[in-house]
């Protein structure tokens, strides 16, 4: 890097489940790399998104929502989220403007007290409240930590996101460009494809199914300029399998159609997607299966 004033660094995004961390990450990098859903605990792995401009590069780490674990998958998600705080240059603590400060926020604040880096408070979803409400929310948090700055934002609409990025970059150290300027994530394509499929399962199914679902990519092959992808959706019970498949395979077909469109947009390629559904009882509590499906301790 020829520019001695070039700034770069790693920034963790933390917060309770469903506060909008993935929406923010996708907004910043300009395309979908993290899946979004109105269901909590959507993100399970740390997802790195890379934001590059002429003067700087910021590597954002979108973490799973911090919550009380209920199984080994939950333990993995918690360890993954908290480990992101260890070696970053700054932290974005995101809260939901439509919810009062609660026990989950206080749990995160206690963990952040040991982080000796700039911490920004992001009050997300201001598009859903009135301007007067913003000051009330700031009052709830202002004495909790010594925040570098407080930014009321809308990750969905982009309000105040450019101003946040400008402030954040000023706090980063001088450093190298870690990734090529056109790269927006460090995750392999298999991971992103599996997440896009899982997102559609989250969107199209109901009740307890989303939390007991994983997606395993069996193969990716390119033939005659068409990407042939075979993937298996993992559920825990026969009843869930029936719901994901749907009457005459209708639900699975809808999931596949929606996922294929997103994958084609990401890959810039025509895609032929084959989906299967497999029952694997209690997979969220089996270490060998967690490893197989990509939830590996080496990932954090």
């Amino acid at each position: 890097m020829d520019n001695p004033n070039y700034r770069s660094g790693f920034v963790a995004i933390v917060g309770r489940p469903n506060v909008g961390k993935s929406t923010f990450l996708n907004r910043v990098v300009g395309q979908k790399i993290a899946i979004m859903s109105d269901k909590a605990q959507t993100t399970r792995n740390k997802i790195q998104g890379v934001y590059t401009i002429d003067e700087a590069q910021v590597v954002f780490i979108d973490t799973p929502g911090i919550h009380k674990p209920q199984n080994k998958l939950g333990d993995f998600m918690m360890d993954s989220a908290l480990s992101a705080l260890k070696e970053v240059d700054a932290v974005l603590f995101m809260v939901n403007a439509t919810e009062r400060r609660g026990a989950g926020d206080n749990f995160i604040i206690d963990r952040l007290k040991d982080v000796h880096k700039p911490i920004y408070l992001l009050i997300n979803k201001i598009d859903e409240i009135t301007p007067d409400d913003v000051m009330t929310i700031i009052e709830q948090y202002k004495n909790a930590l010594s925040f570098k700055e407080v930014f009321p934002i809308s990750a969905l609409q982009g309000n105040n996101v450019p101003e946040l990025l400008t402030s954040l970059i000023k706090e980063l150290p001088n450093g190298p460009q870690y990734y090529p300027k056109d790269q927006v994530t460090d995750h392999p394509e298999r991971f992103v494809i599996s997440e896009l499929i899982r997102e559609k399962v989250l969107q199209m199914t109901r009740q307890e199914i989303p939390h007991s679902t994983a997606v395993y990519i069996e193969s990716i092959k390119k033939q005659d300029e068409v990407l042939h992808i075979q993937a298996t959706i993992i559920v825990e019970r026969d009843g869930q399998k029936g719901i994901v498949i749907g009457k005459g395979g209708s639900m699975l077909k809808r999931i596949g159609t929606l996922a294929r469109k997103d994958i084609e947009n990401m890959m810039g390629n025509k895609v032929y997607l084959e989906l299967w559904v497999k029952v694997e009882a209690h997979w969220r509590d089996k270490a060998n299966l967690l490893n197989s499906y990509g939830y590996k301790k080496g990932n954090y």
Side-chain angles (χ1 to χ4, degrees):
M1 182 61 59
D2 296 332
N3 183 358
N5 297 316
Y6 195 85
R7 294 179 181 272
S8 63
F10 293 79
V11 177
I13 314 168
V14 299
R16 286 194 295 175
N18 208 29
V19 296
K21 299 183 296 294
S22 296
T23 305
F24 172 79
L25 183 65
N26 292 336
R27 159 72 59 179
V28 170
V29 303
Q31 70 182 70
K32 182 185 290 186
I33 60 169
I35 71 172
M36 298 180 290
S37 168
D38 59 358
K39 299 177 176 68
Q41 301 174 27
T42 302
T43 301
R44 289 177 177 167
N45 302 69
K46 291 187 299 188
I47 298 173
Q48 291 194 175
V50 186
Y51 171 76
T52 306
I53 56 176
D54 289 342
E55 311 85 41
Q57 184 172 84
V58 188
V59 182
F60 289 97
I61 303 169
D62 175 24
T63 62
I66 295 176
H67 63 287
K68 185 177 180 180
Q70 295 179 333
N71 47 45
K72 286 184 179 179
L73 175 60
D75 290 336
F76 168 85
M77 292 163 65
M78 176 67 79
D79 289 342
S80 182
L82 296 178
S83 73
L85 303 177
K86 294 176 182 176
E87 296 180 357
V88 293
D89 299 290
V91 175
L92 305 181
F93 172 36
M94 186 176 291
V95 300
N96 186 340
T98 66
E99 298 177 357
R100 291 190 60 81
R101 176 178 164 184
D105 298 305
N106 294 334
F107 177 84
I108 297 169
I109 287 167
D110 284 342
R111 298 305 182 275
L112 292 176
K113 288 176 181 176
D114 296 327
V115 176
H116 305 295
K117 299 289 183 179
I119 300 172
Y120 291 77
L121 176 64
L122 306 191
I123 301 170
N124 190 27
K125 306 188 183 183
I126 60 168
D127 51 301
E128 299 181 26
I129 62 171
T130 66
D132 291 342
D133 293 331
V134 175
M135 293 310 299
T136 303
I137 298 164
I138 291 174
E139 283 294 317
Q140 293 176 29
Y141 287 93
K142 69 175 186 180
N143 296 322
L145 281 172
S146 179
F147 294 110
K148 180 67 182 178
E149 282 191 70
V150 178
F151 281 91
I153 69 164
S154 169
L156 191 62
Q157 298 182 357
N159 305 39
N160 291 331
V161 172
E163 291 80 1
L164 164 65
L165 293 171
T166 299
S167 174
L168 185 59
I169 286 169
K170 288 178 182 176
E171 290 300 314
L172 295 180
N174 294 122
Q177 181 177 301
Y178 293 101
Y179 298 97
K181 63 182 181 180
D182 59 349
Q183 186 171 339
V184 296
T185 184
D186 74 332
H187 275 289
E189 61 186 27
R190 279 176 174 262
F191 172 83
V192 181
I193 290 169
S194 69
E195 285 289 274
L196 292 176
I197 297 169
R198 189 166 68 89
E199 177 185 56
K200 303 313 173 191
V201 177
L202 292 177
Q203 288 177 354
M204 303 302 294
T205 58
R206 63 187 188 274
Q207 296 172 353
E208 82 281 6
I209 290 178
H211 298 316
S212 55
T213 300
V215 175
Y216 179 75
I217 303 300
E218 305 283 352
S219 68
I220 302 175
K221 297 176 182 176
K222 194 169 186 179
Q223 296 175 346
D224 301 323
E225 300 306 312
V226 177
L227 217 54
H228 291 255
I229 300 170
Q230 297 179 323
T232 300
I233 299 169
I234 312 295
V235 294
E236 288 191 317
R237 298 197 298 274
D238 287 328
Q240 296 170 342
K241 180 177 180 179
I243 291 171
V244 173
I245 292 174
K247 187 176 181 180
S250 58
M251 177 61 76
L252 192 61
K253 184 176 180 180
R254 287 158 68 191
I255 290 168
T257 299
L258 292 171
R260 178 180 54 77
K261 290 178 180 177
D262 272 2
I263 296 166
E264 285 181 339
N265 287 336
M266 182 190 74
M267 303 296 291
N269 243 103
K270 186 172 176 58
V271 169
Y272 177 73
L273 177 63
E274 288 184 88
L275 294 178
W276 293 275
V277 185
K278 178 182 178 182
V279 176
E280 197 70 75
H282 308 299
W283 69 264
R284 289 177 292 173
D285 267 320
K286 296 178 179 177
N288 62 323
L289 293 179
L290 288 172
N291 268 318
S292 297
Y293 302 152
Y295 308 113
K296 301 177 182 177
K297 286 201 170 184
N299 289 352
Y300 58 79

